């Protein structure tokens, strides 16, 4: 009862604030929604709470190593800033985000929303993990970075100076390059054809060897000097560029561009900023590498001996501790919503098992791992499941551990299979249909897929009046809106029985070789088929594959039943996710404020 009262109090509080949205600020809603999570409960599933500490532990288990590495790097930069008296203000961070957004022609809000939607980076994470370190490193190396006038002049020439329009042949064999060069020198007007035929650089070969204009101070010095020394239509000697051999032909000189005097200040500023940014990136990378090399970092997380020696500590950086609690908070900030959804699902399954007086044992876990190994082809020479090989494959990405795999994939699968145990049976009708689908004859067809009935009727009339495979293929190539049939002149995979496409199957299996189907309406498509014949079954005796078929059908039906059971459990569960409410509070506030401003 106290827990239910607390939940009601939180939601009533949020509701009342929403009602009074006219004078509401974003920070007010964030604070009110976040209060519940700070009190130790992040979600409630059927009156059973999930604590913030449990969520932190689950997040650390999955993402702790990567998040800790990021925290260590940020801490090293912070320590260096502190030693030099450098502080990065919120205003500086906000201005930099605005500058980045302007590069893409977006407002700051639109830019941050794009990062959230496309890269799943929250504004807080972007500010803290990306922008702040960039600004801090820039400040640390600012005194080392100077832009000279000669650098500005070179950059100006590379951008606005004279250029040479060229064709290029690139090959990996020096012998081939010399032979092609001799041919090109004898017949310069054949250079484009030689490039098309022999150049291994596909993008330029497809356009007769044409490449972007070559400018000074913009890349390889040897290439630039060779291009600028060529007369029009002259062919260069063979040059080595990395492991490739290059031949150039000059087409024409492009004169330098002279900007107006009014534009020069802005151009100079833009060039200077670009050079400074490039130099700062290089200097920042060097400084950061030095900070890492000179630091004394002890990673306690994941080391049992060190964890006993330093309880509650995740790492020690130059004598300063990063606590497990701080790591947990950081992990929740980055991955909490995703992990909490998994923990809620686990809680739902745990409650269902308890209610059914069932449990998941270690034997069940090992059996499921063996089943997964076998189903993915990990089998030893004696026919047993190669569980070691399978686990090596699962954990080969370097981020998934055995414990995480078991917790997130194996345990839920076992739990659901136990909950539907005894509900799945394979009947004789299932075996018959399964045999027909897997081993029965299939219809070899050509198909045309149209998006509207009028076009379908027009194409069907043409196919009927010229009943040949060749003409049908031409129609498919010209009219079919489905890529496979259009590109293969109507040829599509053979149609089998019981594939789930009832209308298409029924029509296809009624056809005789050379016959044209009617127009088959399915969904928002209209399909025309032409039968080419039937495949010959390789297996004709159902008894020969009965055991294998029974196993496969049982597995498929079991997975379907498990999915349906889980959906039913989630639909019936009473779930309050306070963490999601806290994260959505700013959106609610913006929407509420917009509504209030219109009233």
């Amino acid at each position: 009862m106290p827990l239910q009262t607390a939940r009601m109090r939180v939601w009533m509080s949020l509701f009342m604030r929403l009602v009074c949205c006219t004078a509401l600020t974003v920070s007010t809603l964030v604070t009110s929604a976040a209060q519940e999570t700070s009190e130790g409960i992040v979600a409630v599933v059927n009156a059973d709470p999930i604590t913030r500490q449990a969520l932190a532990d689950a997040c650390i288990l999955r993402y702790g190593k990567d998040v800790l590495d990021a925290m260590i790097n940020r801490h090293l930069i912070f320590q260096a800033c502190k030693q030099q008296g450098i502080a990065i203000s919120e205003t500086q961070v906000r201005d930099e985000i605005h500058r980045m957004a302007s590069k893409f022609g977006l407002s700051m809000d639109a830019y941050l929303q794009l990062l959230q939607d496309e890269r799943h980076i929250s504004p807080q994470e972007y500010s803290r993990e990306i922008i702040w370190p960039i600004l801090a490193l820039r400040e640390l190396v600012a005194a080392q970075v100077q832009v000279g006038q000669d650098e500005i002049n070179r950059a100006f020439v590379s951008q606005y100076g004279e250029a040479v329009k060229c064709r290029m042949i690139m090959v990996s064999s020096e012998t081939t390059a010399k032979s092609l060069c001799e041919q090109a020198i004898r017949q310069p007007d054949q250079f484009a054809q030689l490039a098309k035929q022999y150049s291994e650089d596909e993008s330029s070969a497809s356009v007769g060897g044409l490449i972007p204009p070559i400018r000074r101070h913009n890349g390889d010095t040897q290439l630039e000097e060779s291009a600028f020394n060529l007369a029009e239509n002259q062919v260069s000697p063979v040059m080595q560029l990395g492991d490739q051999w290059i031949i150039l032909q000059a087409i024409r000189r492009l004169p330098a561009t002279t900007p107006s005097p009014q534009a020069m200040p802005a151009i100079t500023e833009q060039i200077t900023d670009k050079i400074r940014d490039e130099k700062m990136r290089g200097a920042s990378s060097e400084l950061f590498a030095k900070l890492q090399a000179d630091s004394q970092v002890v990673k306690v997380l994941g080391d049992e001996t060190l964890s006993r020696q330093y309880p509650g500590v995740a790492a020690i950086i130059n004598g300063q501790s990063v606590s497990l609690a701080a790591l947990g908070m950081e992990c929740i900030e980055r991955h909490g919503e995703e992990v909490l959804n998994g923990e809620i699902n686990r809680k739902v399954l745990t409650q269902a098992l308890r209610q059914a007086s069932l449990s998941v044992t270690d034997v069940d876990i090992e059996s499921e791992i063996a089943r997964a190994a076998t189903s993915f082809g990990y089998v030893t020479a004696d026919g047993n499941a190669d569980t070691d090989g399978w686990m090596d494959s699962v954990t080969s990405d370097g981020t998934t551990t055995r414990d995480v795999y078991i917790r997130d994939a194996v345990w839920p699968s076992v739990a659901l299979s136990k909950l539907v145990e005894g509900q799945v049976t394979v009947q004789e009708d299932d075996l018959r249909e399964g045999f027909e689908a897997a081993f029965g004859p299939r219809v070899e067809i050509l198909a045309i897929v149209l998006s509207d009935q009028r076009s379908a009727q027009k194409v069907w009339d043409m196919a009927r009046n010229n009943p040949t495979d060749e003409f049908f293929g031409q129609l498919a190539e010209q009219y079919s809106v489905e890529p496979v049939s259009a590109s293969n002149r109507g040829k599509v995979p053979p149609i089998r029985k019981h594939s789930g496409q009832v209308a298409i199957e029924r029509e296809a299996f009624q056809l005789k070789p050379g016959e044209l189907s009617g127009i088959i309406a399915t969904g928002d498509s209209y399909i025309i088929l032409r039968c080419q014949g039937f495949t010959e079954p390789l297996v004709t005796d159902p008894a020969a594959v009965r055991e294998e078929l029974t196993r496969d059908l049982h597995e498929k039906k079991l997975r379907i039943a498990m999915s349906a059971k889980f959906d039913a459990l989630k639909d019936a569960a009473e779930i309050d996710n306070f963490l999601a409410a806290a994260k959505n509070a700013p959106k609610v506030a913006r929407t509420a404020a917009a509504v209030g401003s219109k009233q």
Side-chain angles (χ1 to χ4, degrees), residues 225-464:
E225 290 302 320
S226 177
F228 277 92
N229 286 332
L230 294 174
E232 189 171 309
N233 291 326
Q234 185 179 0
V235 176
S236 75
V238 175
M239 296 171 284
Q240 186 173 10
L241 189 65
D243 59 353
Q244 300 292 312
W245 300 88
I246 306 292
I247 311 163
L248 293 179
Q249 182 187 40
I251 299 175
R252 64 178 181 276
R253 289 288 180 101
L254 302 177
T257 302
T258 305
S260 66
Q262 294 81 3
M264 282 302 298
I267 290 173
T268 302
E269 182 180 0
Q270 178 257 333
I271 289 175
T272 303
D273 287 346
K274 183 179 179 182
I275 296 172
R276 183 182 294 109
D277 284 348
E278 289 175 355
K279 296 182 76 171
M280 278 193 167
R281 277 197 295 272
S284 296
S285 297
E286 292 177 7
L287 173 62
F288 184 60
K290 187 175 186 305
L291 291 176
Q292 289 180 310
D294 295 345
S295 65
Q296 294 183 342
V297 177
V298 179
K299 292 186 180 180
V300 180
L301 183 71
D303 188 311
E304 294 184 7
T305 302
L306 290 174
S307 295
R308 287 193 296 269
Q309 185 177 354
Y310 303 103
V313 174
I316 302 172
I317 310 167
N318 295 329
Q320 295 185 1
S321 296
V322 175
S323 68
L324 282 173
L327 176 61
M329 289 178 62
E330 187 92 359
C331 285
I332 289 174
E333 176 63 33
R334 290 196 187 190
H335 305 288
E337 198 165 359
E338 167 203 342
V339 174
L340 182 55
N341 286 332
E343 293 302 296
I344 288 172
N345 294 341
R346 186 179 182 86
K347 182 77 72 174
V348 168
L349 292 176
T350 301
Q351 292 171 350
L353 287 173
R354 188 186 306 121
Q355 187 174 2
S357 300
L358 297 171
S359 62
V360 175
T361 67
D362 291 342
V363 174
D364 296 326
I365 294 294
E366 294 303 321
S367 177
E368 174 62 15
I369 293 174
R371 185 205 63 78
T374 302
S375 68
F376 281 92
Y378 284 81
V379 181
T380 60
D382 57 4
N384 294 320
D386 180 11
T387 54
D388 290 338
W390 170 241
M391 289 306 304
D392 288 342
S393 173
V394 168
T395 58
S396 62
D397 61 1
T399 58
T400 303
T401 64
R402 178 185 174 88
D403 288 343
V404 169
Y405 170 64
I406 289 174
R407 185 178 179 87
D408 288 355
V410 180
W411 186 92
S413 181
V414 174
L416 279 167
S417 66
K418 280 184 168 286
L419 289 169
V420 299
E421 208 168 32
Q423 300 176 21
V424 177
T425 58
V426 178
Q427 306 292 338
E428 287 299 322
D429 285 347
D430 297 326
L431 289 169
R432 177 182 55 77
E433 292 183 1
F435 179 80
E436 290 178 347
F439 302 103
R442 304 186 181 193
V443 188
E444 297 272 9
I445 63 161
L446 301 177
I448 302 174
V449 182
L450 291 310
S451 58
D452 64 88
Q453 190 170 10
R454 178 173 294 184
S455 298
Q457 187 64 56
K458 171 187 171 184
V459 173
W460 186 86
D461 284 337
M462 289 190 289
R464 181 182 60 174

Side-chain angles (χ1 to χ4, degrees), residues 99-112:
R99 188 178 77 87
M100 294 295 293
S102 299
K103 283 186 175 182
F104 296 95
L106 298 172
S107 68
M108 190 166 72
D109 285 346
Y111 179 63
L112 291 173

